[in-house]
Amino acid sequence: VANDDGQLQYDDVSGYAIITDNDASEEDETQLVSSEVLDAEVIFVLIGAMLVFYMQVGFTMFEVGSVRRKNTKNILLKNTLDASIGAITWCCLGYGLAFGQSYYGLFGTSDFILRTSKSGVVEVSERDDDLLDDSHLMLDNAEPSDAFTHAKWLFQWAFAATSSTIMSGAVAERIRFKAYVLLATFLTGIVYSVTVHWVWTE
């Protein structure tokens, strides 16, 4: 797709606009390949997240079929809240505890609310004394996360939400609604997150 002048070309096959340069170095070509590999990895993780999240449907149908008819709405609401509460809890607390900078291998202490440094970790020594920005509740010196970090967050959130959905089947017709909400929040934000940190954090 490159012309002799190294001008902007449109690739009909890939749909990308490409700036060509006859004097492009091998380093530039390597960066282009690396970018394409990263895009493929992000797509792969997103597809995995969708497949894992679809387990919510299976657990919901199983639980509805296992309870009395009068409790059907209760089960449907609980499984919907598993995803909703799980998303908020995982974003604000769970992801940071699971994948933040490790505190003696026990739990993470950074990366809360999807804020990370460019390297993926906010070093303790780089932080300001005031950890939170009052206006945005974000780390002052943190950079926005990249695409792969967001895809990883979504993938892990799907598992966190599914873990509380499994628990909802165990307590179906045996627990009050308010108690279930508190238990699901605790499971997603603390129990699952700390366990993930122990097992999968580098």
Side-chain angles (χ1 to χ4, degrees):
V1 295
N3 60 12
D4 296 334
D5 299 329
Q7 299 298 321
L8 178 66
Q9 299 292 313
Y10 184 82
D11 187 355
D12 293 329
V13 177
S14 66
Y16 289 105
I18 301 174
I19 299 176
T20 59
D21 186 358
N22 294 334
D23 297 329
S25 64
E26 294 181 3
E27 182 179 349
D28 294 335
E29 294 177 1
T30 303
Q31 290 177 353
L32 179 61
V33 172
S34 299
S35 176
E36 292 175 352
V37 170
L38 178 61
D39 291 343
E41 290 177 351
V42 169
I43 292 173
F44 180 79
V45 172
L46 289 176
I47 292 173
M50 288 184 283
L51 292 175
V52 172
F53 186 72
Y54 197 66
M55 292 171 62
Q56 294 272 6
V57 178
F59 282 117
T60 300
M61 291 190 292
F62 174 74
E63 291 170 23
V64 167
S66 301
V67 299
R68 291 170 291 179
R69 181 178 296 179
K70 68 175 186 176
N71 292 318
T72 299
K73 291 181 180 179
N74 182 271
I75 291 295
L76 294 174
L77 180 59
K78 284 180 179 178
N79 283 285
T80 301
L81 284 177
D82 283 337
S84 304
I85 294 174
I88 296 171
T89 307
W90 186 249
C91 180
C92 295
L93 181 65
Y95 185 82
L97 289 176
F99 296 102
Q101 183 179 7
S102 184
Y103 178 77
Y104 297 104
L106 298 176
F107 53 85
T109 59
S110 63
D111 300 354
F112 297 103
I113 317 180
L114 275 180
R115 299 292 289 187
T116 63
S117 66
K118 292 182 179 179
S119 63
V121 174
V122 178
E123 298 293 340
V124 176
S125 60
E126 295 175 355
R127 297 182 191 171
D128 297 330
D129 293 334
D130 183 14
L131 291 178
L132 296 176
D133 179 6
D134 294 334
S135 60
H136 299 91
L137 293 179
M138 301 290 187
L139 293 175
D140 291 336
N141 64 337
E143 297 291 336
S145 307
D146 59 7
F148 187 79
T149 301
H150 284 90
K152 178 182 175 184
W153 181 92
L154 186 69
F155 182 74
Q156 294 294 336
W157 161 72
F159 276 107
T162 301
S163 69
S164 60
T165 300
I166 295 171
M167 181 268 300
S168 73
V171 299
E173 298 183 318
R174 297 177 180 88
I175 191 172
R176 293 182 181 274
F177 184 75
K178 292 181 180 179
Y180 177 79
V181 170
L182 293 175
L183 186 59
T185 302
F186 178 72
L187 178 66
T188 306
I190 305 294
V191 177
Y192 179 81
S193 305
V194 173
T195 304
V196 167
H197 187 80
W198 292 348
V199 178
W200 286 297
T201 299
E202 297 177 358

